[in-house]
Amino acid sequence: MTKELLAEIADAQMVLVGIGKEMEETYKKMENDSFYSSLMAQAEKEEDAAAILQYLQCYYREKNPDSGKIDAYNRLADLLEGKNYFVVSLCTDDYIYSSKLDAGRIVTPCGGFRALQCHSECSTDQEPLVWDKQVTAQVMEEIRQCEGQLSKVDFPVCAECCSIMYFNRIDTPGYKEEGYLPQWEKYTKWLQGTLNRKLCILELGAGMEYPTVIRFPFEKVAYFNQKARFYRVHSRLYQMTAELKEKGVSIQANPEEFLKN
Ligand SMILES: [Zn+2]
């Protein structure tokens, strides 16, 4: 199976990769860590609790990055080296941007920790997104030095409504899609160029969360491209549709483990 996939990728003119929620950070370990659980309990008493939780998650992933996931992305980068590829990922943990994969060939439509925004009820449309890494870095440093006291952390606030800024992430009320749209435009153009090309599609852990982003459109692309091969890797939802029986291969596996083997 793996040999066949390697040969398909080597032979393909273009490679389309979809990464789903099975690859995403769960932050489960935060709850069992007294440093985080205490800060989260303090956050719950605040009006902007949901925003503060995002900063705590951001801090957690900086301090405890899941090296297994980053390794898996680096394996994928090795597989795709020199190929004309594009990656669509539903993950919001940004681990993919810490890997060797080319950020110019990645789109993350659910956002992540790279930009800040205000929430839906804010009237400002002046500067909808803040891409300043220094702002986030400053908060991370204050969390590091807060000695378990949330009140010691100064979170960035919106100049218009004074509430704490959220990250530009899909769970933010009034998620601003501008954050990923330029890259999405690049992706759709790239996708148009796959027609009549030898295309290898690799779907990793994309189940039924936002199926209109990866799962359904990938099936459609595979269906209409006569030269496509479609590899679907998922621990539970690995089944291929009847129309794609000839072109598709179902692999029941955890995508992270699959990439590492
Ligand atoms: Zn605001």
Side-chain angles (χ1 to χ4, degrees), residues 118 122 124 158 160-161 163:
C118 197
C122 179
T124 186
C158 170
E160 189 79 14
C161 72
S163 53

Side-chain angles (χ1 to χ4, degrees), residues 117-124 157-165:
Q117 66 160 86
C118 197
H119 57 73
S120 50
E121 279 150 46
C122 179
S123 60
T124 186
V157 294
C158 170
E160 189 79 14
C161 72
C162 295
S163 53
I164 294 177
M165 304 276 289

Side-chain angles (χ1 to χ4, degrees), residues 165-178:
M165 304 276 289
Y166 281 80
F167 282 98
N168 180 226
R169 212 171 71 169
I170 195 147
D171 59 325
T172 291
Y175 173 53
K176 293 188 193 296
E177 309 210 30
E178 298 95 291

